Amino acid sequence: MKKITSQQQKVLECIEVYIKETGFPPTRIEICKELGFKSPNAAEMHLRALERKGLITIKSGSSRGICLNNKTVFDGYPVIGLVAAGSPTLAEENIEKIINCDPELFGSNFDYFLKVKGLSMIEAGILENDLVAIKKTTEIKNGDLVVARIDEEVTLKHFFKSQNKIELRPANKDYSVITIDDKVSHFEIEGKGIGLLRNH
């Protein structure tokens, strides 16, 4: 790979940050705004240089037609909204959109984003409409943030187990702890939270 200039590096980083934060690449005008270029032609010049050096691919006819090459090509992850009662979490009716994100953003692989509803986790810094990256796993320990299915409802809480009792604890004193006991006909852990995106 050919060496790139400091300005080209800034343009490349701008593209990477835009994709991480918004799910799509920036336009030439947005690159100019971010980096202080006076003309979209300056952005275009750096983009063409990056393309010649094999770091990006530019699709003609699209203002956002910039694709990162090699390891910086990001995967699409579904964003799960309010889960319909009784339906699988990743069912089509629960998927609000697909966003592109670096699979190594949180230092671990994950499978989807869960869009937070309600205020039960605000004291853990998790706000309504935040996107929590969820890894599908049943390997969890006390204190982990988990996605749990209780009967036909899905909830996001902290997991704690002692002897034969399981508690799903909120991070908001105004909400009650959920105790899993014989009254619950169905309970399963669908995954654990490994990271968070705030796009609002």
Side-chain angles (χ1 to χ4, degrees):
M1 185 178 69
K2 296 179 181 177
K3 187 176 179 181
I4 64 174
T5 67
S6 61
Q7 286 287 69
Q8 290 163 10
Q9 181 66 35
K10 288 178 182 178
V11 172
L12 189 63
E13 289 171 357
C14 177
I15 297 167
E16 291 175 342
V17 168
Y18 246 81
I19 292 175
K20 282 183 182 180
E21 293 184 349
T22 69
F24 48 80
T27 64
R28 275 66 167 172
I29 292 173
E30 287 166 342
I31 292 172
C32 290
K33 184 178 178 181
E34 289 293 325
L35 300 180
F37 298 152
K38 293 180 180 178
S39 163
N41 289 337
E44 182 70 18
M45 179 183 69
H46 292 305
L47 290 171
R48 292 298 173 185
L50 289 169
E51 184 180 41
R52 286 194 300 273
K53 293 173 182 179
L55 292 166
I56 65 171
T57 299
I58 300 174
K59 296 178 182 178
S60 60
S62 172
S63 64
R64 297 189 185 276
I66 302 168
C67 295
L68 292 163
N69 294 340
N70 302 325
K71 70 179 181 65
T72 49
V73 176
F74 299 142
D75 295 327
Y77 292 91
V79 174
I80 308 301
L82 191 62
V83 176
S87 74
T89 298
L90 286 169
E92 186 176 346
E93 65 264 29
N94 300 325
I95 298 175
E96 290 191 355
K97 60 181 177 179
I98 303 291
I99 62 173
N100 292 318
C101 181
D102 183 349
E104 298 178 357
L105 180 62
F106 303 112
S108 175
N109 293 331
F110 63 101
D111 297 287
Y112 62 93
F113 286 105
L114 185 69
K115 188 175 182 180
V116 176
K117 297 291 183 184
L119 304 173
S120 69
M121 301 303 292
I122 59 172
E123 290 166 18
I126 302 171
L127 309 180
E128 186 159 27
N129 294 322
D130 281 352
L131 303 180
V132 178
I134 304 296
K135 181 177 184 176
K136 290 192 288 186
T137 181
T138 56
E139 296 180 8
I140 55 173
K141 60 184 184 298
N142 282 350
D144 279 349
L145 180 67
V146 301
V147 177
R149 184 176 290 272
I150 307 165
D151 294 333
E152 293 191 341
E153 301 296 326
V154 173
T155 188
L156 184 73
K157 297 289 186 290
H158 284 131
F159 175 91
F160 288 91
K161 182 176 183 179
S162 59
Q163 296 178 342
N164 295 324
K165 185 172 73 172
I166 293 174
E167 290 185 342
L168 300 176
R169 299 178 187 174
N172 183 334
K173 63 183 183 297
D174 296 328
Y175 286 71
S176 300
V177 172
I178 299 171
T179 301
I180 306 302
D181 54 25
D182 294 340
K183 297 176 184 177
V184 176
S185 61
H186 178 77
F187 169 73
E188 67 176 303
I189 298 296
E190 296 198 344
K192 70 176 180 178
I194 63 166
L196 183 145
L197 284 182
R198 181 162 297 149
N199 61 354
H200 53 91

